[in-house]
Amino acid sequence: MLTVQKFGGSSVADAEKIRRAAGITAACAGEGGAVVVVLSARGNTTDELISDAAEISTDPPRRELDALLCTGELSSAALMAMQLSQMGLDCVSLSGRQAGIHTDANHGEARITNINTDRIVRELGAGRIVIVAGFQGVSENDDITTLGRGGSDTTAVALAAALGADRCEIYSDVDGIYTADPRLVAGAGKMDVIDYEDMLRLALGGSQVLHSRSVAAAIKNEVEVWLLSSYVSSPGTLMTHLDERPDICGVTRDKRLNKISIVGRAVNRGTLAESIAVLSQHDILTLSAETGEGVCALTVEPELVLPAMELIHDHFFPS
Protein backbone atom coordinates (compact mmCIF):
# COMPACT_ATOMS: atom_id res chain seq x y z
CA MET A 1 0.00 0.00 0.00
CA LEU A 2 1.30 3.43 -0.95
CA THR A 3 0.25 6.48 1.06
CA VAL A 4 0.95 10.12 0.20
CA GLN A 5 0.87 12.38 3.25
CA LYS A 6 1.02 16.17 3.22
CA PHE A 7 1.71 18.31 6.29
CA GLY A 8 0.88 22.01 6.26
CA GLY A 9 3.01 24.79 7.69
CA SER A 10 1.26 24.83 11.08
CA SER A 11 1.94 21.08 11.41
CA VAL A 12 5.72 21.52 11.11
CA ALA A 13 6.12 25.00 12.61
CA ASP A 14 8.67 23.97 15.25
CA ALA A 15 10.73 20.98 16.41
CA GLU A 16 7.97 19.55 18.61
CA LYS A 17 5.45 19.69 15.76
CA ILE A 18 7.92 18.13 13.32
CA ARG A 19 8.39 15.27 15.79
CA ARG A 20 4.61 14.84 16.02
CA ALA A 21 4.27 14.79 12.22
CA ALA A 22 7.18 12.35 11.96
CA GLY A 23 5.39 10.10 14.44
CA ILE A 24 2.35 9.96 12.16
CA THR A 25 4.55 9.07 9.19
CA ALA A 26 6.48 6.49 11.22
CA ALA A 27 3.24 4.83 12.32
CA CYS A 28 2.09 4.59 8.70
CA ALA A 29 5.43 3.14 7.60
CA GLY A 30 5.31 0.73 10.54
CA GLU A 31 2.17 -0.85 9.08
CA GLY A 32 4.30 -2.10 6.21
CA GLY A 33 3.31 0.34 3.48
CA ALA A 34 5.35 2.75 1.40
CA VAL A 35 5.09 6.44 2.28
CA VAL A 36 5.69 9.66 0.36
CA VAL A 37 5.55 12.83 2.48
CA VAL A 38 4.97 16.32 1.06
CA LEU A 39 5.83 19.31 3.24
CA SER A 40 4.94 22.97 3.29
CA ALA A 41 7.25 25.69 4.60
CA ARG A 42 7.16 26.00 8.39
CA GLY A 43 4.79 28.46 10.01
CA ASN A 44 5.16 31.96 8.56
CA THR A 45 8.37 31.20 6.68
CA THR A 46 7.01 32.10 3.24
CA ASP A 47 5.72 35.47 4.46
CA GLU A 48 9.07 36.14 6.11
CA LEU A 49 10.93 35.32 2.89
CA ILE A 50 8.66 37.68 0.94
CA SER A 51 9.41 40.36 3.53
CA ASP A 52 13.14 39.70 3.15
CA ALA A 53 12.83 40.18 -0.61
CA ALA A 54 10.91 43.44 -0.11
CA GLU A 55 13.82 44.82 1.93
CA ILE A 56 16.07 44.32 -1.09
CA SER A 57 13.78 45.14 -4.00
CA THR A 58 10.38 46.72 -4.55
CA ASP A 59 9.94 44.57 -7.65
CA PRO A 60 12.10 41.42 -7.43
CA PRO A 61 12.43 39.31 -10.59
CA ARG A 62 9.86 36.51 -10.39
CA ARG A 63 12.48 33.91 -11.25
CA GLU A 64 14.66 34.95 -8.33
CA LEU A 65 11.66 35.22 -5.99
CA ASP A 66 10.80 31.60 -6.79
CA ALA A 67 14.41 30.59 -6.09
CA LEU A 68 14.08 32.28 -2.68
CA LEU A 69 10.62 31.02 -1.73
CA CYS A 70 11.35 27.37 -2.49
CA THR A 71 13.89 27.30 0.33
CA GLY A 72 11.10 27.24 2.91
CA GLU A 73 9.83 23.85 1.76
CA LEU A 74 13.37 22.54 1.26
CA SER A 75 14.11 23.38 4.89
CA SER A 76 10.99 21.56 6.11
CA ALA A 77 11.84 18.47 4.04
CA ALA A 78 15.41 18.31 5.32
CA LEU A 79 14.34 18.74 8.95
CA MET A 80 11.70 16.02 8.61
CA ALA A 81 14.31 13.70 7.11
CA MET A 82 16.63 14.42 10.03
CA GLN A 83 13.86 13.64 12.50
CA LEU A 84 12.88 10.37 10.83
CA SER A 85 16.54 9.37 10.63
CA GLN A 86 16.86 10.11 14.35
CA MET A 87 13.99 7.66 14.85
CA GLY A 88 15.91 4.98 12.97
CA LEU A 89 13.96 5.17 9.72
CA ASP A 90 15.56 5.13 6.28
CA CYS A 91 14.46 8.19 4.34
CA VAL A 92 15.51 10.75 1.76
CA SER A 93 14.43 14.35 1.14
CA LEU A 94 13.94 15.58 -2.43
CA SER A 95 13.42 18.98 -3.96
CA GLY A 96 10.62 19.36 -6.50
CA ARG A 97 13.19 19.04 -9.27
CA GLN A 98 14.70 15.88 -7.78
CA ALA A 99 11.20 14.46 -7.40
CA GLY A 100 10.62 14.92 -11.14
CA ILE A 101 7.93 17.60 -10.86
CA HIS A 102 7.89 19.49 -14.17
CA THR A 103 5.92 22.69 -14.65
CA ASP A 104 5.33 25.48 -17.12
CA ALA A 105 7.45 28.64 -16.84
CA ASN A 106 4.85 30.83 -15.12
CA HIS A 107 6.87 31.85 -12.08
CA GLY A 108 4.83 32.27 -8.93
CA GLU A 109 1.75 30.50 -10.36
CA ALA A 110 3.26 27.57 -12.25
CA ARG A 111 1.14 24.60 -13.32
CA ILE A 112 2.40 21.02 -13.12
CA THR A 113 2.71 19.61 -16.65
CA ASN A 114 4.01 16.14 -15.81
CA ILE A 115 5.79 14.17 -13.11
CA ASN A 116 8.65 11.77 -13.79
CA THR A 117 8.29 9.34 -10.91
CA ASP A 118 11.47 7.32 -11.61
CA ARG A 119 13.50 8.73 -8.69
CA ILE A 120 10.65 8.40 -6.20
CA VAL A 121 9.86 4.85 -7.30
CA ARG A 122 13.54 3.92 -7.05
CA GLU A 123 13.81 5.31 -3.52
CA LEU A 124 10.59 3.59 -2.43
CA GLY A 125 11.91 0.35 -3.92
CA ALA A 126 14.99 0.69 -1.71
CA GLY A 127 12.69 0.80 1.32
CA ARG A 128 13.00 4.51 2.02
CA ILE A 129 10.39 7.03 3.09
CA VAL A 130 10.46 9.75 0.43
CA ILE A 131 10.05 13.34 1.63
CA VAL A 132 9.24 15.87 -1.09
CA ALA A 133 9.44 19.64 -0.79
CA GLY A 134 6.00 20.86 -1.85
CA PHE A 135 4.99 24.04 -3.69
CA GLN A 136 7.75 23.77 -6.30
CA GLY A 137 8.95 22.20 -9.50
CA VAL A 138 11.23 22.87 -12.43
CA SER A 139 10.43 24.44 -15.81
CA GLU A 140 11.58 23.26 -19.23
CA ASN A 141 14.32 25.89 -18.91
CA ASP A 142 15.59 24.08 -15.80
CA ASP A 143 14.52 27.00 -13.60
CA ILE A 144 12.93 26.57 -10.18
CA THR A 145 9.22 27.44 -10.18
CA THR A 146 6.63 27.74 -7.43
CA LEU A 147 2.98 26.72 -7.69
CA GLY A 148 1.25 29.60 -5.91
CA ARG A 149 -1.11 29.48 -2.95
CA GLY A 150 -1.90 25.97 -1.77
CA GLY A 151 0.94 24.63 -3.89
CA SER A 152 1.89 21.89 -1.46
CA ASP A 153 -1.68 20.56 -1.47
CA THR A 154 -1.49 20.47 -5.26
CA THR A 155 1.88 18.71 -5.11
CA ALA A 156 0.47 16.00 -2.85
CA VAL A 157 -2.60 15.34 -5.01
CA ALA A 158 -0.54 15.34 -8.22
CA LEU A 159 1.98 12.90 -6.74
CA ALA A 160 -0.81 10.63 -5.50
CA ALA A 161 -2.23 10.55 -9.04
CA ALA A 162 1.13 10.02 -10.74
CA LEU A 163 2.17 7.25 -8.35
CA GLY A 164 -1.23 5.56 -8.27
CA ALA A 165 -1.26 5.91 -4.48
CA ASP A 166 -3.80 3.94 -2.46
CA ARG A 167 -4.39 6.81 -0.06
CA CYS A 168 -3.80 10.58 -0.03
CA GLU A 169 -3.85 12.33 3.36
CA ILE A 170 -3.75 16.09 3.96
CA TYR A 171 -2.86 17.06 7.55
CA SER A 172 -3.58 20.48 9.04
CA ASP A 173 -4.59 22.01 12.37
CA VAL A 174 -8.25 21.02 12.03
CA ASP A 175 -9.59 17.47 12.02
CA GLY A 176 -11.62 17.61 8.84
CA ILE A 177 -14.17 19.72 7.00
CA TYR A 178 -16.88 21.45 9.03
CA THR A 179 -20.12 23.17 8.12
CA ALA A 180 -18.21 26.36 9.07
CA ASP A 181 -14.80 27.15 10.49
CA PRO A 182 -15.05 25.67 14.03
CA ARG A 183 -12.60 28.29 15.27
CA LEU A 184 -15.12 30.98 14.32
CA VAL A 185 -18.54 29.33 14.68
CA ALA A 186 -19.21 27.39 17.86
CA GLY A 187 -22.02 25.25 16.41
CA ALA A 188 -20.11 24.02 13.36
CA GLY A 189 -20.36 20.27 12.77
CA LYS A 190 -17.79 18.00 11.17
CA MET A 191 -18.64 16.11 7.99
CA ASP A 192 -17.53 12.49 7.56
CA VAL A 193 -17.52 12.87 3.79
CA ILE A 194 -17.77 15.73 1.29
CA ASP A 195 -18.28 15.80 -2.46
CA TYR A 196 -15.54 17.20 -4.69
CA GLU A 197 -17.82 19.91 -6.09
CA ASP A 198 -18.92 21.14 -2.67
CA MET A 199 -15.32 21.20 -1.45
CA LEU A 200 -14.29 23.18 -4.52
CA ARG A 201 -16.97 25.80 -3.87
CA LEU A 202 -16.06 26.03 -0.18
CA ALA A 203 -12.39 26.48 -1.12
CA LEU A 204 -13.25 29.18 -3.65
CA GLY A 205 -15.37 30.85 -0.97
CA GLY A 206 -12.46 31.16 1.44
CA SER A 207 -12.15 27.84 3.28
CA GLN A 208 -8.45 27.35 3.99
CA VAL A 209 -8.35 23.63 4.76
CA LEU A 210 -7.73 22.70 1.13
CA HIS A 211 -6.85 25.01 -1.76
CA SER A 212 -9.11 25.17 -4.81
CA ARG A 213 -6.32 24.22 -7.23
CA SER A 214 -5.63 21.01 -5.33
CA VAL A 215 -9.36 20.20 -5.31
CA ALA A 216 -9.46 20.74 -9.07
CA ALA A 217 -6.46 18.42 -9.43
CA ALA A 218 -8.22 15.78 -7.31
CA ILE A 219 -11.34 16.03 -9.47
CA LYS A 220 -9.33 15.78 -12.69
CA ASN A 221 -7.35 12.74 -11.52
CA GLU A 222 -10.13 11.13 -9.42
CA VAL A 223 -7.97 11.16 -6.30
CA GLU A 224 -9.85 10.64 -3.03
CA VAL A 225 -8.38 12.79 -0.27
CA TRP A 226 -8.57 12.41 3.50
CA LEU A 227 -8.53 15.68 5.47
CA LEU A 228 -6.98 14.96 8.86
CA SER A 229 -5.51 16.65 11.94
CA SER A 230 -1.86 16.56 12.96
CA TYR A 231 -2.85 17.07 16.58
CA VAL A 232 -5.76 14.76 17.40
CA SER A 233 -6.60 11.20 16.40
CA SER A 234 -9.77 11.45 14.32
CA PRO A 235 -11.25 9.76 11.23
CA GLY A 236 -11.27 13.16 9.53
CA THR A 237 -13.25 13.88 6.38
CA LEU A 238 -13.07 12.03 3.07
CA MET A 239 -13.33 14.10 -0.11
CA THR A 240 -14.75 11.97 -2.91
CA HIS A 241 -17.61 11.77 -5.41
CA LEU A 242 -21.02 11.46 -3.77
CA ASP A 243 -24.13 10.24 -5.55
CA GLU A 244 -26.24 12.06 -2.97
CA ARG A 245 -25.01 15.49 -1.87
CA PRO A 246 -26.55 17.47 1.01
CA ASP A 247 -28.91 20.31 0.13
CA ILE A 248 -26.67 22.71 2.05
CA CYS A 249 -23.10 21.70 2.79
CA GLY A 250 -21.54 24.63 4.61
CA VAL A 251 -20.97 28.33 5.14
CA THR A 252 -17.60 29.99 4.66
CA ARG A 253 -16.08 33.46 4.38
CA ASP A 254 -13.52 35.32 2.34
CA LYS A 255 -12.13 37.82 4.83
CA ARG A 256 -10.39 39.81 2.11
CA LEU A 257 -13.70 40.58 0.40
CA ASN A 258 -15.98 40.56 3.49
CA LYS A 259 -17.93 37.87 1.63
CA ILE A 260 -19.95 35.00 3.08
CA SER A 261 -20.75 32.01 0.85
CA ILE A 262 -23.40 29.33 1.31
CA VAL A 263 -22.62 26.09 -0.54
CA GLY A 264 -24.74 23.05 -1.40
CA ARG A 265 -26.58 21.09 -4.07
CA ALA A 266 -29.87 22.93 -3.52
CA VAL A 267 -28.48 26.42 -2.92
CA ASN A 268 -30.25 28.95 -5.16
CA ARG A 269 -31.79 32.43 -5.17
CA GLY A 270 -34.20 31.32 -2.47
CA THR A 271 -31.28 30.44 -0.22
CA LEU A 272 -29.83 33.87 -0.79
CA ALA A 273 -33.15 35.55 -0.04
CA GLU A 274 -33.42 33.58 3.22
CA SER A 275 -29.91 34.64 4.22
CA ILE A 276 -30.57 38.31 3.51
CA ALA A 277 -33.81 38.13 5.50
CA VAL A 278 -32.05 36.53 8.48
CA LEU A 279 -29.46 39.29 8.52
CA SER A 280 -32.02 42.07 8.13
CA GLN A 281 -33.86 40.77 11.20
CA HIS A 282 -30.69 41.54 13.13
CA ASP A 283 -30.13 44.93 11.46
CA ILE A 284 -27.26 43.70 9.30
CA LEU A 285 -27.35 45.26 5.84
CA THR A 286 -26.35 43.18 2.82
CA LEU A 287 -24.14 45.33 0.59
CA SER A 288 -24.07 43.04 -2.45
CA ALA A 289 -25.20 39.55 -3.39
CA GLU A 290 -24.69 36.96 -6.12
CA THR A 291 -25.74 33.42 -6.98
CA GLY A 292 -24.22 30.61 -9.01
CA GLU A 293 -24.64 26.89 -9.44
CA GLY A 294 -24.57 25.36 -5.96
CA VAL A 295 -23.44 28.57 -4.26
CA CYS A 296 -24.66 32.00 -3.24
CA ALA A 297 -22.69 34.80 -1.63
CA LEU A 298 -23.24 38.15 0.03
CA THR A 299 -21.07 40.89 1.46
CA VAL A 300 -21.50 42.95 4.62
CA GLU A 301 -19.49 45.54 6.53
CA PRO A 302 -16.10 44.16 7.66
CA GLU A 303 -16.91 44.26 11.38
CA LEU A 304 -20.13 42.32 10.78
CA VAL A 305 -18.72 39.38 8.79
CA LEU A 306 -18.36 37.02 11.75
CA PRO A 307 -21.74 37.82 13.39
CA ALA A 308 -23.40 37.49 9.99
CA MET A 309 -21.68 34.17 9.33
CA GLU A 310 -22.86 32.81 12.68
CA LEU A 311 -26.44 33.94 12.07
CA ILE A 312 -26.57 32.33 8.62
CA HIS A 313 -24.96 29.12 9.87
CA ASP A 314 -27.37 28.87 12.81
CA HIS A 315 -30.31 29.38 10.44
CA PHE A 316 -29.35 26.54 8.09
CA PHE A 317 -27.71 24.30 10.73
CA PRO A 318 -29.83 24.81 13.89
CA SER A 319 -28.40 23.14 16.99
Side-chain angles (χ1 to χ4, degrees):
M1 179 171 176
L2 172 60
T3 301
V4 174
Q5 298 179 327
K6 180 262 178 178
F7 293 95
S10 63
S11 298
V12 292
D14 55 37
E16 179 183 352
K17 292 176 180 178
I18 289 174
R19 283 191 283 270
R20 182 184 291 114
I24 294 171
T25 297
C28 183
E31 295 174 357
V35 187
V36 174
V37 183
V38 176
L39 294 178
S40 296
R42 295 187 297 157
N44 297 319
T45 298
T46 300
D47 290 339
E48 292 169 357
L49 290 171
I50 292 173
S51 179
D52 289 343
E55 292 181 3
I56 300 296
S57 172
T58 57
D59 186 23
R62 296 178 71 190
R63 178 187 183 279
E64 306 310 329
L65 190 58
D66 273 2
L68 174 67
L69 296 184
C70 80
T71 63
E73 281 71 21
L74 291 171
S75 171
S76 294
L79 289 168
M80 176 67 100
M82 293 175 192
Q83 177 58 46
L84 288 169
S85 295
Q86 183 74 18
M87 297 164 67
L89 296 169
D90 194 6
C91 61
V92 61
S93 67
L94 302 176
S95 67
R97 183 180 189 278
Q98 290 170 318
I101 299 172
H102 298 274
T103 76
D104 60 27
N106 185 20
H107 289 286
E109 289 286 345
R111 300 274 180 171
I112 296 174
T113 55
N114 66 84
I115 299 179
N116 182 335
T117 61
D118 290 352
R119 174 74 184 272
I120 295 177
V121 170
R122 187 166 69 249
E123 299 292 357
L124 291 173
R128 297 187 180 95
I129 296 170
V130 178
I131 305 159
V132 178
F135 178 67
Q136 62 186 263
V138 61
S139 73
E140 61 182 11
N141 299 321
D142 203 30
D143 288 331
I144 294 169
T145 56
T146 64
L147 307 181
R149 289 185 59 82
S152 293
D153 291 342
T154 305
T155 301
V157 171
L159 281 173
L163 293 165
D166 300 286
R167 187 173 169 97
C168 181
E169 301 173 343
I170 305 290
Y171 288 87
S172 68
D173 55 1
V174 293
D175 62 340
I177 303 300
Y178 283 71
T179 53
D181 189 332
R183 295 164 295 192
L184 304 176
V185 178
K190 187 169 77 69
M191 292 175 266
D192 295 328
V193 62
I194 186 169
D195 185 79
Y196 290 120
E197 297 294 335
D198 288 331
M199 186 68 248
L200 180 59
R201 291 182 176 90
L202 285 174
L204 290 170
S207 174
Q208 297 182 357
V209 177
L210 197 60
H211 195 272
S212 60
R213 285 179 67 174
S214 64
V215 180
I219 295 171
K220 178 182 177 181
N221 296 290
E222 298 183 342
V223 175
E224 293 188 333
V225 179
W226 288 92
L227 293 310
L228 301 162
S229 169
S230 301
Y231 303 100
V232 297
S233 178
S234 166
T237 300
L238 172 64
M239 181 180 71
T240 186
H241 170 73
L242 294 179
D243 292 328
E244 296 185 10
R245 294 162 54 200
D247 286 349
I248 297 182
C249 175
V251 179
T252 189
R253 64 156 185 170
D254 185 330
K255 60 183 179 181
R256 296 170 302 131
L257 302 176
N258 308 317
K259 183 171 74 173
I260 300 165
S261 297
I262 303 97
V263 171
R265 178 189 61 81
V267 170
N268 55 26
R269 291 181 180 273
T271 311
L272 181 60
E274 276 188 64
S275 302
I276 293 172
V278 167
L279 296 185
S280 67
Q281 290 169 9
H282 292 82
D283 298 322
I284 297 178
L285 177 65
T286 299
L287 303 179
S288 65
E290 58 186 300
T291 59
E293 183 181 354
V295 62
C296 66
L298 52 85
T299 61
V300 298
E301 296 290 350
E303 67 274 12
L304 296 176
V305 171
L306 292 184
M309 185 177 174
E310 288 185 298
L311 287 168
I312 293 172
H313 181 273
D314 289 347
H315 175 74
F316 292 112
F317 299 95
S319 55

